[in-house]
Amino acid sequence: MSANSLILAAEEESHNPLLPATYDIVWSIVALAVVGLVFWKFVLPRAQKVLEERTDGIVGGLKRAADAQLEADALLKQREEQLLETRAVAAQIREDARLRGQEIIAELRTQGEAESARIVAAGRSQLRAERDQIVAELRADLGRTAVDLAEKIVGEHLEDSVKRGQTVDRFLADLDATSAQRK
């Protein structure tokens, strides 16, 4: 065996099957360094840029959402204040309408009472006039009847209108005095 074959045999005996050969390790490290350098120079900055854009988009979106929430809260508070003001105005309008309604009712009641009093007074006046007219007609009828009776009783004809008037008036005065005593 030659010396070379002995060296190779010795190397093979001392070579661990789990460890790769030295040239494989060196070339693997060189390839890994090249790939790492390419990643470091080109891929990693682009990935970092994409992550920053997404982060900015998310943070910006959260900021816009927070701003929108604050704006919505302010708008809601403003609407609530407007609603309270509107309710207060509506309550005031209802109260004014209620008071005006009471005033109108009182005014109509006063007008109704005045109209009622006027109608009652007119009715009483009309009744008084009718009563006076009826009393006058009854007096005239009663006077004629009294004269006719007196003529029949006395047997004389009472043609003198002055005498007849005096007799009728005296008769009616006696009747009035009699009716006043009964009351």
Side-chain angles (χ1 to χ4, degrees), residues 102-134:
Q102 288 177 347
E103 290 174 2
I104 290 171
I105 289 171
E107 188 177 303
L108 290 175
R109 184 175 288 135
T110 303
Q111 288 176 355
E113 289 172 355
E115 184 69 17
S116 173
R118 186 189 64 76
I119 290 172
V120 167
R124 285 183 180 158
S125 173
Q126 185 178 1
L127 282 175
R128 210 174 299 118
E130 288 176 2
R131 184 177 70 67
D132 290 345
Q133 180 184 358
I134 290 172

Side-chain angles (χ1 to χ4, degrees), residues 76-150:
L76 178 64
K77 185 176 180 182
Q78 181 184 7
R79 295 288 188 232
E80 287 174 351
E81 289 173 358
Q82 288 176 346
L83 182 62
L84 288 174
E85 289 175 16
T86 303
R87 285 182 179 164
V89 168
Q92 183 63 38
I93 290 171
R94 281 193 304 271
E95 183 64 22
D96 291 346
R98 187 185 63 77
L99 291 175
R100 181 65 182 137
Q102 288 177 347
E103 290 174 2
I104 290 171
I105 289 171
E107 188 177 303
L108 290 175
R109 184 175 288 135
T110 303
Q111 288 176 355
E113 289 172 355
E115 184 69 17
S116 173
R118 186 189 64 76
I119 290 172
V120 167
R124 285 183 180 158
S125 173
Q126 185 178 1
L127 282 175
R128 210 174 299 118
E130 288 176 2
R131 184 177 70 67
D132 290 345
Q133 180 184 358
I134 290 172
V135 166
E137 289 174 4
L138 284 176
R139 282 182 183 249
D141 285 344
L142 188 59
R144 279 191 297 273
T145 306
V147 168
D148 289 342
L149 282 175

Side-chain angles (χ1 to χ4, degrees), residues 48-65:
Q48 189 67 26
K49 185 178 176 185
V50 168
L51 285 176
E52 286 176 3
E53 287 174 359
R54 285 187 179 179
T55 303
D56 289 343
I58 291 171
V59 169
L62 289 175
K63 186 174 180 345
R64 285 190 303 273

